[in-house]
Amino acid sequence: MSVQPDITQQALRHRSREIVDAVAEGQSFTLTRDGRPIGRLLPLWQPRRFVSRREFAAGSRAAPAVDLDAFRADQDAMAADPGPDDPYAR
């Protein structure tokens, strides 16, 4: 986990464009007033990052096995029942 740098209220006021651009790029900040933390500036989403094949394979080893027949049966059951929220249901 990366360290969230502290940013003062005054710095936020004077450098807001630079700080907002950094947040848009994925940087987080801890906002301080009088040396005390009062809030956090966090991006709503994290920028996508490349995952190598090796890293993906290592992370997938712990994933549970998928029963393909049961998966297909679940999909077929969902397709047959559009549910109450389907705007095209008659």
Side-chain angles (χ1 to χ4, degrees):
M1 187 168 152
S2 64
V3 175
Q4 292 181 357
D6 289 351
I7 187 152
T8 64
Q9 180 181 4
Q10 181 180 13
L12 178 61
R13 188 169 45 246
H14 293 292
R15 299 174 35 217
S16 63
R17 181 181 178 95
E18 175 187 344
I19 294 164
V20 169
D21 287 346
V23 171
E25 292 175 9
Q27 178 67 51
S28 299
F29 296 94
T30 300
L31 184 60
T32 63
R33 179 190 292 157
D34 299 326
R36 292 186 312 253
I38 61 168
R40 291 191 185 132
L41 297 173
L42 304 169
L44 291 178
W45 57 85
Q46 294 295 322
R48 297 180 111 185
R49 74 176 189 89
F50 176 77
V51 177
S52 70
R53 181 181 293 182
R54 184 182 312 233
E55 188 177 359
F56 178 79
S60 299
R61 284 190 198 108
V66 176
D67 179 350
L68 292 178
D69 292 330
F71 178 75
R72 287 188 185 111
D74 286 345
Q75 283 191 322
D76 290 343
M78 290 302 295
D81 178 19
D85 295 332
D86 185 358
Y88 302 106
R90 296 181 194 249

